[in-house]
Amino acid sequence: MDDDSDAVEELVECMVKAGLSCLSAGDGWQALKLLADGRRAKVVVSDLRMPELTGLEFAERLARLGGGDGPEVIFVSGHAGFDDAVEAIRLGARDLLTKPVDGPRLVKAVKSALLARQGRDRATPAVGAETGGLATRKRAALKQMRSLRRMRSQHFPTQLFSDPCWEMLLDLYDGHLAGAEVTVTSLGAASGVPLTTALRRMDQLKAHGLIERTEDIEDKRRTIVRLTQAGLAAVEGFFDTYLQRPPT
């Protein structure tokens, strides 16, 4: 979704060639109408800066329209600042790409978001399905923690409960469960602290052997962050203990 029709047409053509089915919209209102009319979308790509309805305003309305089961959102922007990234992550955006965005980079981001959506679907058991599996319970506990975090931020200043290392570990674990890539930018935004502080905390996590950073081979402007085996074991151990705690 972009107000530059030529750019949209080019990117749509690239995604179709990659085997992705997609529809285009000239603005946020048109996209919302398509979705309200019953068009199903697993991933939505939106420009951050648009007239009348901005990308962030569109994402807020999309969240209300989806009823908690909305599509993954990817934003693109040529002038996004850190505050924009923080707000985008708060609204549940999967990624924030900087312009100019070429077709292969967008295809990779969309496929990563589709994997995240599939992981989210697997984490939600069907009615009547067995819900006692440990993996399912861990995903449910993680979802509960993240929901509590969002609820808390609506009522209290975020800095009162700032714990960036823990927030980043949870986001990386969420990405691991969903099979999705997490970039330095999105992880820093999700931490809830200024980017410079988030980068220092990432260095601390790396020094403790909990995370690793690798350069995206296909796009050297992106750095991917993952939990190390030790980091994953530590987070998994926490959730094992959390789920075994006696009820209060």
Side-chain angles (χ1 to χ4, degrees):
M1 182 179 62
D2 196 309
D3 53 356
D4 185 341
S5 58
D6 291 336
V8 170
E9 184 177 345
E10 182 179 342
L11 292 175
V12 166
E13 182 180 351
C14 187
M15 287 193 285
V16 169
K17 287 181 179 178
L20 299 170
S21 177
C22 57
L23 291 172
S24 62
D27 56 48
W29 294 115
Q30 184 181 353
L32 288 172
K33 185 178 186 304
L34 286 171
L35 295 170
D37 288 344
R39 299 296 182 95
R40 301 288 293 174
K42 294 184 178 180
V43 180
V44 170
V45 181
S46 172
D47 197 335
L48 201 59
R49 309 290 187 192
M50 294 184 295
E52 295 189 22
L53 190 67
T54 69
L56 294 176
E57 291 169 340
F58 166 74
E60 289 181 335
R61 292 175 181 271
L62 181 63
R64 294 197 293 268
L65 182 67
D69 188 33
E72 299 288 335
V73 178
I74 297 173
F75 284 122
V76 296
S77 178
H79 305 89
F82 184 69
D83 289 343
D84 293 317
V86 169
E87 184 64 12
I89 298 300
R90 185 187 72 80
L91 291 171
R94 175 56 55 182
D95 209 342
L96 175 59
L97 306 178
T98 55
K99 289 184 176 182
V101 179
D102 57 35
R105 186 156 66 107
L106 181 60
V107 167
K108 182 177 181 180
V110 169
K111 287 185 175 180
S112 178
L114 283 171
L115 284 174
R117 175 56 191 260
Q118 290 169 6
R120 182 152 59 98
D121 290 343
R122 288 195 300 270
T124 305
V127 176
E130 175 61 44
T131 60
L134 183 57
T136 299
R137 293 171 62 207
K138 287 179 180 178
R139 293 186 183 105
L142 176 61
K143 181 178 180 181
Q144 184 181 49
M145 289 182 184
R146 293 173 68 103
S147 297
L148 180 62
R149 179 177 63 183
R150 287 192 294 268
M151 186 187 306
R152 187 180 63 192
S153 67
Q154 294 174 4
H155 299 280
F156 301 99
T158 303
Q159 60 269 26
L160 290 179
F161 305 99
S162 179
D163 192 356
C165 286
W166 180 238
E167 300 292 355
M168 288 190 284
L169 288 172
L170 288 182
D171 280 316
L172 288 170
Y173 186 53
D174 187 27
H176 167 77
L177 292 176
E181 293 180 340
V182 179
T183 66
V184 165
T185 302
S186 63
L187 187 62
S191 70
V193 295
L195 182 57
T196 52
T197 302
L199 290 173
R200 288 198 299 270
R201 296 295 184 267
M202 288 183 211
D203 287 339
Q204 291 177 337
L205 291 171
K206 186 174 183 295
H208 283 282
L210 297 173
I211 68 171
E212 59 186 3
R213 289 179 290 198
T214 57
E215 188 179 77
D216 189 331
I217 298 176
E218 298 180 8
D219 184 356
K220 296 188 182 300
R221 292 175 293 182
R222 285 164 42 107
T223 300
I224 307 301
V225 189
R226 299 183 182 90
L227 290 169
T228 61
Q229 287 299 317
L232 179 60
V235 178
E236 290 273 12
F238 165 82
F239 277 99
D240 286 338
T241 304
Y242 176 80
L243 291 171
Q244 291 170 11
R245 74 195 193 286
T248 56

